[in-house]
Amino acid sequence: MAASSNSSLSGSSVSSAVWTLILTAPIHCKGSFDPEDYQPPIWKSYLYQLQQEAPRPKRITCPQEMESRPKYYGREFHGLISRERADELLAGTEGAYLIRESQRQPGTHTLALRFGGQTLNYRLFYDGKHFVGEKRFESVHDLVTDGLITLYIETKAAEYIAKMTTNPIYQHLGYTSLLRDKITHQLNQTRSEPKKVTFQQDEKISPSPLSRRTTIKDGPEKHCNYEKIHNFKVHTFRGPHWCEYCANFMWGLIAQGVRCSDCGLNVHKQCSKLVPSDCQPDLRRIKKVFSCDLTTLVKAHNTPRPMVLDICIKEIEHRGLKSEGLYRVSGFTEHIEDVRLAFDRDGEKADISANMYPDINIIAGALKLYLRDLPIPVITYDVYSKFIQAAKITDPDSRLEAVHDGLLQLPPAHYETLRYLMTHLKRVTMHEKDNYMNSENLGIVFGPTLMRPPDLNTLTTLNDMRYQKLIVQLLIEHEDILF
């Protein structure tokens, strides 16, 4: 009897070549740790051995030339034959396969594959590559090879695979633990505790927002651990690879697992869901500065804030605080683009001095461009609605408390970036007589730059602009108590 299935061939899948296993003693990183003592963990070989045992593909060729054969199939194409006939041709040969035209749906093609003493039938597709599921292959032979490996391993080791994430080695990888602890310690030293704010009205003074007395009380610490989720993407590994979470072999020919494009961590797709949010980006993998995720950039450079922010603000405060229309007047677009390219190319060594760019509006424009191009805004999509709702509160004290609550929900790197920027903008307003930029004007400029609605709906954006402006205005005017 022929059996139909569409799931196994599209499961997770590395080459069936013979590889050498490296077995060493595991490291348990508890207490102090010397990097020179590091040894890789024991890589578990069971799934690797099963891949070596998996049936090899055997092509059953058609004895006659088929005029209806598509050009992307070879002699394994048998034309319009029944399931029963395909079953007869494949009988007794484990791993045997052929391609036939479907009798039920003429014009479509079916891969018939012998496995486990029965014939499995899969709808076969071609769009420049061959596929029956998510994976795409250069040849039908590779597709069948990968499918037999997956079928064999998932049949023989279903229970083992289901339990392989229960005793992970990830927390015992010495370098991972050491680096995470070191970075967390350094960043905690650079960040002071956010202040829990409560607002109390002075009974002796008229109830005006400008004449309130602010009492600052200690609240729960917002630890600056700069957590970052891994940026996993499906990856095809060339050569032997083991999962760095569960230590098991990553099987198949292609798309055997996922790799973090920021730090290079390699794990099974199912293991990726269990990996902690502790990505430590590798500078070699960061292609650019502008348009890079904020947390990714600061973790890669091991800084509390994006270097673009520090460098641009330092230059602006050195020679531009009294510049009329600062942040409102635009610099030349071509020169702003030059600054962007300089940061992407040279990083913290980028030269934005007056010798290179005499017009301070170019530097201000580059800073705004950096903030505007962030894939996740400084005020993140997750808390956007909380800030908009806070702006709609009419009572001044309650509104400030709601804004403060929203700030505490920002990711640490976003919080620190916003705090540093607001402190700078507050200094800009101190020179209002010269630059004509008060908190309201700056709110108009920076509102849409720092916060964007998640759905990017044009009508929503227009309706929210006044609230965006008000939020930034409040952050500037009350930066000393909100942060």
Side-chain angles (χ1 to χ4, degrees):
M1 292 290 292
S4 294
S5 172
N6 283 322
S7 58
S8 297
L9 280 183
S10 59
S12 66
S13 14
V14 165
S15 172
S16 57
V18 177
W19 297 315
T20 302
L21 298 179
I22 301 174
L23 301 179
T24 56
I27 180 88
H28 297 279
C29 186
K30 301 219 181 198
S32 61
F33 172 72
D34 185 350
E36 294 184 359
D37 294 335
Y38 172 76
Q39 290 180 314
I42 293 179
W43 300 117
K44 302 170 187 176
S45 62
Y46 176 54
L47 297 179
Y48 167 80
Q49 292 168 350
L50 287 182
Q51 173 160 306
Q52 299 306 106
E53 299 170 5
R56 300 297 187 262
K58 300 175 181 65
R59 185 175 70 153
I60 304 301
T61 59
C62 183
Q64 61 196 46
E65 187 67 29
M66 302 298 299
E67 293 184 3
S68 61
R69 183 182 74 194
K71 61 181 181 180
Y72 41 83
Y73 294 139
R75 295 294 298 274
E76 69 275 4
F77 182 76
H78 286 250
L80 193 65
I81 62 174
S82 66
R83 286 190 173 209
E84 290 72 23
R85 177 55 181 159
D87 195 38
E88 292 174 7
L89 292 171
L90 301 177
T93 308
E94 194 78 350
Y97 72 93
L98 60 82
I99 298 172
R100 62 182 178 85
E101 185 174 354
S102 173
Q103 288 184 324
R104 296 178 181 178
Q105 295 178 293
T108 64
H109 303 102
T110 299
L111 172 67
L113 174 65
R114 194 73 177 178
F115 178 80
Q118 59 179 338
T119 299
L120 308 176
N121 292 278
Y122 300 90
R123 176 80 177 274
L124 187 60
F125 301 91
Y126 181 80
D127 63 355
K129 291 189 177 181
H130 305 275
F131 62 100
V132 297
E134 294 181 356
K135 293 184 181 182
R136 282 161 167 74
F137 298 83
E138 296 291 344
S139 69
V140 173
H141 186 84
D142 286 348
L143 185 154
V144 174
T145 302
D146 184 86
L148 288 170
I149 291 170
T150 300
L151 286 167
Y152 188 78
I153 289 178
E154 292 183 353
T155 299
K156 294 284 186 179
E159 185 176 352
Y160 180 88
I161 292 172
K163 295 180 179 179
M164 69 183 184
T165 60
T166 57
N167 188 27
I169 62 157
Y170 185 74
Q171 298 300 332
H172 304 307
L173 288 176
Y175 282 128
T176 300
S177 300
L178 178 70
L179 184 59
R180 181 170 59 250
D181 294 343
K182 182 178 180 181
I183 297 300
T184 300
H185 175 70
Q186 290 176 345
L187 290 175
N188 276 332
Q189 289 183 325
T190 66
R191 167 81 175 276
S192 59
E193 290 187 16
K195 297 169 289 190
K196 181 62 179 177
V197 181
T198 58
F199 302 98
Q200 297 177 348
Q201 195 70 42
D202 194 324
E203 296 177 356
K204 298 181 180 179
I205 306 177
S206 60
S208 165
L210 297 177
S211 61
R212 71 176 175 278
R213 182 180 66 198
T214 304
T215 303
I216 301 175
K217 297 181 179 179
D218 293 334
E221 181 180 1
K222 185 179 176 69
H223 292 287
C224 186
N225 56 10
Y226 281 62
E227 286 189 354
K228 179 190 177 309
I229 62 174
H230 290 270
N231 186 17
F232 286 120
K233 295 180 180 178
V234 175
H235 189 78
T236 293
F237 298 96
R238 307 298 181 187
H241 271 78
W242 274 257
C243 175
E244 295 173 38
Y245 182 80
C246 71
N248 281 288
F249 181 65
M250 301 168 76
W251 65 90
L253 275 185
I254 69 168
Q256 305 96 330
V258 295
R259 168 176 286 177
C260 177
S261 59
D262 294 333
C263 71
L265 182 69
N266 304 315
V267 295
H268 290 112
K269 187 175 181 180
Q270 59 266 46
C271 291
S272 68
K273 302 172 184 177
L274 304 173
V275 175
S277 298
D278 60 355
C279 175
Q280 178 57 42
D282 186 342
L283 267 177
R284 293 170 296 180
R285 297 178 180 275
I286 306 301
K287 306 298 182 184
K288 54 187 178 180
V289 173
F290 277 60
S291 301
C292 177
D293 173 68
L294 196 155
T295 302
T296 299
L297 188 68
V298 299
K299 291 206 72 172
H301 287 270
N302 191 20
T303 57
R305 298 173 299 275
M307 56 166 173
V308 178
L309 197 75
D310 283 2
I311 295 173
C312 287
I313 286 178
K314 181 179 179 181
E315 190 68 23
I316 291 168
E317 294 196 351
H318 175 64
R319 59 184 174 99
L321 285 178
K322 295 183 179 181
S323 176
E324 184 176 338
L326 180 63
Y327 287 117
R328 188 186 71 240
V329 176
S330 299
F332 286 112
T333 304
E334 297 85 354
H335 293 166
I336 292 174
E337 181 67 12
D338 287 343
V339 174
R340 183 187 71 80
L341 293 174
F343 275 113
D344 284 343
R345 182 183 63 248
D346 304 326
E348 59 189 14
K349 296 180 180 178
D351 183 4
I352 62 170
S353 65
N355 292 332
M356 287 294 294
Y357 304 101
D359 183 4
I360 197 63
N361 294 311
I362 294 171
I363 309 305
L367 176 57
K368 290 189 295 180
L369 177 64
Y370 170 76
L371 296 170
R372 188 165 59 246
D373 280 359
L374 287 171
I376 300 176
V378 175
I379 295 179
T380 61
Y381 295 125
D382 290 342
V383 298
Y384 177 85
S385 61
K386 298 182 185 299
F387 278 91
I388 295 299
Q389 293 304 315
K392 294 178 180 179
I393 298 174
T394 55
D395 177 67
D397 293 344
S398 299
R399 183 170 57 198
L400 282 179
E401 289 188 7
V403 170
H404 184 260
D405 289 342
L407 290 173
L408 294 180
Q409 296 180 48
L410 287 173
H414 288 247
Y415 177 96
E416 172 59 21
T417 298
L418 190 60
R419 182 199 66 79
Y420 193 78
L421 178 62
M422 292 303 113
T423 302
H424 162 66
L425 295 181
K426 184 66 172 286
R427 286 195 287 268
V428 171
T429 63
M430 293 177 182
H431 297 270
E432 181 187 349
K433 290 183 179 180
D434 298 301
N435 59 37
Y436 300 105
M437 295 300 290
N438 56 27
S439 59
E440 183 177 3
N441 293 335
L442 290 170
I444 294 172
V445 172
F446 279 93
T449 299
L450 297 175
M451 52 194 304
R452 304 190 295 271
D455 55 6
L456 297 179
N457 180 280
T458 304
L459 184 59
T460 302
T461 303
L462 291 174
N463 290 335
D464 289 352
M465 285 184 67
R466 57 174 174 159
Y467 300 117
Q468 295 169 351
K469 181 216 62 163
L470 180 57
I471 287 296
V472 174
Q473 182 178 346
L474 291 170
L475 292 174
I476 295 171
E477 292 175 353
H478 306 286
E479 59 84 23
D480 57 333
I481 54 174
L482 286 174
F483 294 94

